[in-house]
Amino acid sequence: MKTLIKNIKELVGVETDPNIRKQGKEMARMETIKDAYLIVEDGKIKAFGKMKDTENFQSAILNSQFDHVVDATGRMVFPAFCDSHTHIVYANSREHEFVDKIRGLSYEEIAKRGGGILNSAKATAAASEDELYDMALQRLEEVMRMGTGAIEIKSGYGLTTESELKLLRVIRRLKDNSPMTIKSNFLGAHGIPMEYRGHHEDYVDLVINEMIPLVAAEGLADFIDVFCDQGFFTVEDTARILEAGIKYGMRPKIHANEMAVSGGVQVGVKYGAISVDHLEQMGDAEIECLKGSDTMPTILPGCAFFLNLPLSPARKMIDAGLPVAMASDYNPGTSPSGNMQLILSMACIRYRLTPEEAINATTLNTAYAMGVSDEVGSIAVGKKANFYITKPMSSYEYMPYAYGENKVWQMFVNGKRV
Ligand code: NIG
Ligand code: FE
């Protein structure tokens, strides 16, 4: 199967010498080709270049060579978004808590009285694996049509062994049946069930001694996650859980510093986390600690927007030489949207990233944060052909500028239009 996209007004996010991630000043570097073509073969990017300059192209445009030709006159092609942090396997929406928050309750207060994550866990326990699969698949297809080609999905609305395994099996079915690149993350330590309040170490023991070995036995998780924050799991709990997960081959990728400067960044870096996510509460020590590490600081603009949290100091981190990734955190409690186009806009509007930095933060750096930046995250020869063709637009800056509108015209995953 060979596809040609021709007359592309501008091909965005091109890499001739691919990076596994971009950090500091490199984040502002983003190559594009004006008046370009893109050739896809067997699901991978085969070639790209300038329409006019390429002699080879003159013979290549003979349509007969291709199974599929798209004329992209006036349109741009972008690498598909990579969403490295989501919780899309859940049963119920939580708009009643949304109203409670408007009336003045905080996220932590709602959680303390058994709402929040425990509210979702109750509904999720009552749902069958098939029901959860259907709901998650619908969400997956919806975000795919908005430009997402790779996604990480967490468990965490189970909080019992049986229920956590059920969620992870749903993620495995999504992996088997969706064309998207999917990574799974075991987040048994997402909330402390009511019956463990006052002796939450026993729940940590359950995660370590029962859940992790069973998850590993079925090969259900690529990563291990902990909600390391004030009112949830401590640094000590986190260290114990990460050590146990690492023994079974799960790399840490954790929630840290959403509510407080929790020590989450330091424990994540210490255990070689591929990413530490949220980071609304960051001091200089956290920024220092991330320097020189392999850990991707990941900001979740949808969550800070939805909960009215302080903004993570993205600009300061980039200016200090760090990489920054931005993901959706799609979940029913703190970010009920997986629209990465909106995350791209927020990166520029709320965090003052330039469009180039924001595009790198939502494609290549999020690909790194889920361990797949050698396969996706940019337009590079040999990478999966995951990209979208936009509606006609004046410049690539229009993409973050025009927030709220769906600018994707056609979406391609593994070279196929979806
Ligand atoms: O990433 N912070 C922890 N977990 C989710 C929220 C989960 C929920 O409230 O349902 C998050 O924001
Ligand atoms: Fe999250």
Side-chain angles (χ1 to χ4, degrees), residues 298-364:
T298 301
I299 296 170
L300 309 171
C303 173
F305 172 63
F306 192 77
L307 295 185
N308 278 309
L309 298 177
L311 300 186
S312 180
R315 215 24 307 140
K316 199 171 166 189
M317 291 195 259
I318 295 173
D319 294 344
L322 292 180
V324 163
M326 294 206 185
S328 78
D329 197 15
Y330 192 176
N331 78 77
T334 70
S335 186
S337 164
N339 183 347
M340 287 295 284
Q341 295 181 49
L342 191 55
I343 300 303
L344 180 73
S345 294
M346 286 195 209
C348 297
I349 298 162
R350 304 243 295 164
Y351 296 84
R352 314 315 289 167
L353 266 59
T354 63
E356 297 78 14
E357 289 172 328
I359 291 166
N360 282 321
T362 51
T363 56
L364 187 68

Side-chain angles (χ1 to χ4, degrees), residues 85-87 90 94 97 101 107 111 115-121 154 156-157 187 189-191 225-229 232 255-256 258-259 277-278 280 300 303-304 307 309 328-335:
H85 184 132
T86 80
H87 311 240
Y90 61 85
R94 304 215 310 256
E97 293 177 359
K101 276 180 233 140
Y107 181 75
I117 293 165
L118 299 188
N119 174 348
S120 284
K154 301 168 197 298
Y157 291 122
L187 176 55
H190 194 195
D225 204 335
V226 178
F227 187 4
C228 178
D229 223 316
F232 293 85
H255 284 73
E258 176 183 353
M259 311 295 165
D277 302 20
H278 273 288
E280 279 82 10
L300 309 171
C303 173
L307 295 185
L309 298 177
S328 78
D329 197 15
Y330 192 176
N331 78 77
T334 70
S335 186

Side-chain angles (χ1 to χ4, degrees), residues 14 38 73 93 188 194-195 227 244 248 271 287 335 349 374 412:
V14 166
L38 175 68
T73 301
S93 58
M194 271 303 180
E195 58 274 30
F227 187 4
Y248 285 94
Y271 287 96
I287 292 181
S335 186
I349 298 162
D374 56 339
F412 287 77

